[in-house]
């Protein structure tokens, strides 16, 4: 009996030693992959660098702490005090993340500088065979400010959420295509520039024709592939409401073989035209929102075709090809 206990103890010790060695090897690989993000050109792929980088979580997690993170994508630079991402060993396809605020966003092309603060920001992503099963971002007490001169609040909300869901019934395993649904909302939104107070905004979208393997999303021919697969962006609903105004929009957009948008968006509103008057002067306000009825409601349809946007049959703007 004593011999069996010794053997069992030896096996346990061996397993612990082997797993510890394996964990440290995997942790080193995780570190190398995160450090490699700083070598991206920031144009075709975002450049992500960390002033300090730690990998912990032994023995059953990998916790990556990126202190004073900087993300560069084109002209946009985002500075974040800290980002943490965690993956559990027994659930490697489910990642949890959080971030410290405030973040600073600088656009070198336009010269704008904005700050986004929050009391808590959490995110998660779950994959199913490299297909997005679900992704979420939730932020509390969000304040968006213009920090170029002082600290002027642009908008704020106690809760902002964005969720991505796979649409299983639209998955085409033969052609390796997937579809995603997006749901986003801002609760009790305040936007002084638009005189919005206690506004609730919701967005529901569906995008089809995407590669079901997210590793292929970086393909420079992604939009061409999406067009050839018959992909479409369906605007299920865009809705904003407060005590005095209502805005609703629905529609569908596709890409034609030349890479220009094709489709339409229907817009109905009450009390919106008066509110955006300082931002959208006539005749553009009527061309976008439509002519008011006797009750003050507006309705219009924006049509996209051949590289142009039409208000009904009247061309109002051009849109360059997307590829």
């Amino acid at each position: 009996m004593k011999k069996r206990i010794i053997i069992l103890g030896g096996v346990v010790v061996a397993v612990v030693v082997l797993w510890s060695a394996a964990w440290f090897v995997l942790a080193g690989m995780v570190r190398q992959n995160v450090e490699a993000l700083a070598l991206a050109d920031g144009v075709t792929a975002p450049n992500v660098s960390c002033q300090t980088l730690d990998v912990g979580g032994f023995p059953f997690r990998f916790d990556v702490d990126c202190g004073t993170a900087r993300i560069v994508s084109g002209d946009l630079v985002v500075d974040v005090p800290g980002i943490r991402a965690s993956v559990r060993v027994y659930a490697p396809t489910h990642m949890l993340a959080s971030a410290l605020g405030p973040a600073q966003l600088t656009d070198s092309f336009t010269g704008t500088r904005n700050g986004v603060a929050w009391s808590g920001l959490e995110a998660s992503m779950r994959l199913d065979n490299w297909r997005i099963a679900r992704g979420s971002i939730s932020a509390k007490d969000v304040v968006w400010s213009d920090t170029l001169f002082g600290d002027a609040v642009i908008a704020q909300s106690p809760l902002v959420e964005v969720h991505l869901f796979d649409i299983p019934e639209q998955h085409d395993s033969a052609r390796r295509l997937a579809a995603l649904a997006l749901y986003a909302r801002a609760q009790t939104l305040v936007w002084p520039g638009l005189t919005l107070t206690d506004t609730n905004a919701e967005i529901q979208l569906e995008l089809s024709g995407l590669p079901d393997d997210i590793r292929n999303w970086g393909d420079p021919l992604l939009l061409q592939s999406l067009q050839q697969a018959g992909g479409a962006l369906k605007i299920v609903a865009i809705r904003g409401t407060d005590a005095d105004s209502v805005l609703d929009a629905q529609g569908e957009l596709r890409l034609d073989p030349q890479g220009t948008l094709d489709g339409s968006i229907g817009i109905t509103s009450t009390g919106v035209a008066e509110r955006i008057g300082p931002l959208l002067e006539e005749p553009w306000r009527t061309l976008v929102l439509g002519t008011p009825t006797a009750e003050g409601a507006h309705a219009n349809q924006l049509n996209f075709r051949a590289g142009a946007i039409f208000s009904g049959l009247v061309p109002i703007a051009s849109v360059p090809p997307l590829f």
Side-chain angles (χ1 to χ4, degrees), residues 280-323:
L280 193 64
E281 297 181 352
E282 293 291 7
W284 298 106
R285 188 161 64 245
T286 297
L287 289 172
V288 172
L289 297 178
T291 304
T293 64
E295 293 77 22
H298 293 71
N300 194 31
Q301 179 169 292
L302 298 178
N303 299 305
F304 298 75
R305 62 177 183 273
I309 305 176
F310 295 81
S311 176
L313 299 176
V314 180
I316 61 173
S318 62
V319 181
L322 299 184
F323 60 78

Side-chain angles (χ1 to χ4, degrees), residues 144 153-157 188-199 275 279:
W144 172 26
V153 174
I154 298 174
Q156 57 186 15
S157 169
T188 321
L189 175 68
V190 176
W191 194 322
L194 296 179
T195 65
L196 296 179
T197 57
D198 295 331
T199 299
R275 178 158 287 170
L279 299 178

Side-chain angles (χ1 to χ4, degrees), residues 214-232:
I214 63 171
R215 293 173 295 182
N216 295 326
W217 287 12
D219 186 346
L221 300 179
L222 177 63
L223 290 179
Q224 290 95 319
S225 299
L226 190 147
Q227 186 275 325
Q228 292 168 7

